[in-house]
Amino acid sequence: MPGGDARETARTVTGTFEDFPYLAELPARGPGADMIGRTAGMLVELYARVEPSGWRLGDRPGRDTRRARSWLGEDLDALEEFTQDYTGPLKVQAVGPWTLAAALELRNGEVALSDPGACRDLAASLAEGLRLHLEEVRRRIPGARVVLQLDEPSLTAVLRGQVRSASGYRTHPAVDRQLAEGTLREVIDVHADSQPSQPSPAGADGAGGSGGARGSGGSVVVHSCAPDVPFALLRRAGAKGISFDATLLTERDDEAIGEAVEAGTRLFTGVVPGTDGRLSDPAGSVMGVRTLWRRLGLHPGLLADVVTVTPSCGLAGASPEYARRALAHCVQAARSLADNPE
């Protein structure tokens, strides 16, 4: 979300999405509030600091780690204030292990992705940090059925060997798909909340930073706003929902999406622009979803149980006024899709 006021953001979120609030990220506050720094602050026995080239792992917690944890605590305080006596699904998010490995630097300046041992350590640290974070969220909002979103925008590049080295003259080797899947599964499995899913009519959610439909308590959604999302790999790793930018889909994705729907995977379809611009009418925003459904030959009645309407990615680059309109537009578009699936 744009801006830096945690209380005002929490008020907007809970006021717009009464049945699926979420813990917003406010990267405009600076390093430590950005998606990489925020998740780096959750790590256990691994610490990161800001260098001119980005976030770099170090030996001890410093100012940047303390600042990241402080802002996360401030955001939790604000969400807790506006979710008193709340019961239902609630979304939190963190960067997934492979995007984190492609972003965090080692002492030599290369990213952790360059060292298989560092990748293992990072994933283990992240899993433990997420376990503690989820416990804290449940303690503060005991009626919540927590939905964990893992942001993996770099996963496709990791799988294809497209992550550049520090020099920029070469790329790091592609990560084996079985290894990528296994590592994701280890992190996903840390979310031990086993409360049952409660699907609702097609809803609205922010994927990269907003919320709004009933989700699956205790489930994990993996978000990627990059092209060629590896749907099958994410399903095998245990993701119960997959969040993506619907404008990047091609017909090559049809088979994977059809298989995901048949397997019971929830689709978080990013159809609302994440930056300022003219919004179409709500029915027009989900026309592409209806077209996809017809192309796949799926029953229109499934839409209400499977699809959640979201912005194409996060709203941090939008103006506050547009962000509020975009969230409300997601709700209206979801309502249109549920009322008229065909």
Side-chain angles (χ1 to χ4, degrees):
M1 289 286 281
D5 188 329
R7 289 190 74 255
E8 181 58 32
T9 300
R11 188 198 311 274
T12 298
V13 166
T14 55
T16 306
F17 303 121
E18 297 178 355
D19 63 350
F20 194 7
Y22 62 93
L23 181 65
E25 296 176 356
L26 300 173
R29 292 180 296 194
D34 60 296
M35 59 183 282
I36 299 298
R38 186 182 185 91
T39 301
M42 298 180 188
L43 297 176
V44 173
E45 296 183 359
L46 287 178
Y47 312 102
R49 64 179 186 274
V50 177
E51 297 286 344
S53 55
W55 285 89
R56 181 171 296 182
L57 293 169
D59 296 322
R60 60 184 67 85
R63 177 183 59 188
D64 298 321
T65 297
R66 290 191 293 270
R67 182 167 50 196
R69 292 175 177 175
S70 175
W71 273 327
L72 178 58
E74 180 182 316
D75 294 338
L76 283 168
D77 289 343
L79 185 62
E80 182 180 7
E81 177 183 349
F82 290 98
T83 52
Q84 294 296 308
D85 301 319
Y86 173 75
T87 58
L90 178 145
K91 188 177 69 126
V92 300
Q93 63 196 59
V95 175
W98 292 110
T99 295
L100 203 60
L104 285 179
E105 298 175 356
L106 303 174
R107 293 177 183 84
N108 63 4
E110 290 291 353
V111 292
L113 187 65
S114 65
D115 183 334
C119 289
R120 288 193 297 271
D121 291 346
L122 188 58
S125 176
L126 174 63
E128 179 62 13
L130 284 174
R131 185 185 67 79
L132 296 173
H133 177 54
L134 294 168
E135 285 182 359
E136 174 72 2
V137 173
R138 295 189 190 105
R139 183 187 68 78
R140 288 172 174 261
I141 311 171
R145 298 192 307 278
V146 182
V147 177
L148 172 63
Q149 176 176 305
L150 294 176
D151 289 323
E152 281 284 16
S154 298
L155 179 58
T156 299
V158 167
L159 295 172
R160 292 183 171 182
Q162 295 172 339
V163 177
R164 292 201 168 276
S165 66
S167 68
Y169 293 118
R170 61 181 182 86
T171 56
H172 296 290
V175 170
D176 178 79
R177 296 180 76 89
Q178 287 188 331
L179 174 60
E181 178 185 324
T183 300
L184 272 167
R185 185 181 301 111
E186 291 172 12
V187 176
I188 287 172
D189 284 350
V190 79
H191 191 12
D193 184 346
S194 59
Q195 298 178 77
S197 302
Q198 294 196 4
S200 75
D205 178 71
S210 46
R214 288 191 189 279
S216 304
S219 63
V220 175
V221 177
V222 178
H223 168 67
S224 173
C225 51
D228 300 318
V229 176
F231 288 94
L233 183 151
L234 296 178
R235 285 195 299 109
R236 291 194 302 268
K240 300 302 182 185
I242 301 174
S243 174
F244 53 91
D245 181 347
T247 66
L248 299 178
L249 290 180
T250 69
E251 293 191 14
R252 291 178 304 175
D253 298 305
D254 283 4
E255 182 177 354
I257 293 174
E259 291 175 351
V261 172
E262 291 174 357
T265 305
R266 193 171 186 98
L267 304 180
F268 288 64
T269 56
V271 297
V272 177
T275 54
D276 289 42
R278 180 180 173 276
L279 292 170
S280 68
D281 67 284
S285 292
V286 290
M287 185 60 68
V289 178
R290 293 189 180 97
T291 301
L292 170 66
W293 231 244
R294 286 194 295 269
R295 198 165 69 232
L296 294 176
L298 296 170
H299 192 282
L302 283 174
L303 278 169
D305 294 325
V306 174
V307 172
T308 296
V309 176
T310 80
S312 57
C313 201
L315 291 165
S319 67
E321 193 275 333
Y322 176 83
R324 288 190 291 270
R325 287 196 293 118
L327 297 186
H329 189 85
C330 284
V331 174
Q332 295 163 355
R335 205 165 283 145
S336 169
L337 194 60
D339 292 344
N340 183 21
E342 298 188 68

